[in-house]
Amino acid sequence: RGDILVSKTGWTQAAGGCIVMLVGDSGNEKVLVILGSKNVRTRITEAEQLIQDYLFPVTNNEDRQHEQGTVINTSNIEN
């Protein structure tokens, strides 16, 4: 399981609810960035779900693990 080492939340009109986290597990550190969260109350839950499902999966399910730099999902942000 990855521990949240540091995080910063924010909100902008262009991107909505945002969060940036540095997550680590046994010297393996990864950065998680969420822009355009459903709302400012869901961004932490969304981040925790991504950590569990993709960054530090709790199972050895090969299809859920991605190589570094792989884009998992994208979202359009309108101005």
Side-chain angles (χ1 to χ4, degrees), residues 32-49:
L32 172 68
V33 178
I34 295 178
L35 303 173
S37 181
K38 293 176 187 172
N39 64 57
V40 295
R41 295 177 187 227
T42 61
R43 61 189 167 198
I44 293 175
T45 304
E46 292 167 357
E48 290 171 340
Q49 191 66 50

Side-chain angles (χ1 to χ4, degrees), residues 53 57-66:
D53 289 350
V58 293
T59 66
N60 289 329
N61 192 349
E62 292 294 323
D63 63 334
R64 299 188 101 176
Q65 297 182 19
H66 300 277

Side-chain angles (χ1 to χ4, degrees), residues 2-77:
D3 294 321
I4 299 170
L5 304 175
V6 65
S7 68
K8 174 65 177 115
T9 60
W11 184 91
T12 67
Q13 189 165 352
C18 306
I19 189 166
V20 176
M21 292 181 164
L22 177 62
V23 183
D25 183 22
S26 302
N28 182 15
E29 296 175 347
K30 300 177 182 182
V31 175
L32 172 68
V33 178
I34 295 178
L35 303 173
S37 181
K38 293 176 187 172
N39 64 57
V40 295
R41 295 177 187 227
T42 61
R43 61 189 167 198
I44 293 175
T45 304
E46 292 167 357
E48 290 171 340
Q49 191 66 50
L50 288 169
I51 292 166
Q52 177 182 327
D53 289 350
Y54 296 104
L55 297 181
F56 296 96
V58 293
T59 66
N60 289 329
N61 192 349
E62 292 294 323
D63 63 334
R64 299 188 101 176
Q65 297 182 19
H66 300 277
E67 292 294 321
Q68 180 177 351
T70 300
V71 176
I72 296 168
N73 194 359
T74 61
S75 206
N76 292 330
I77 300 172

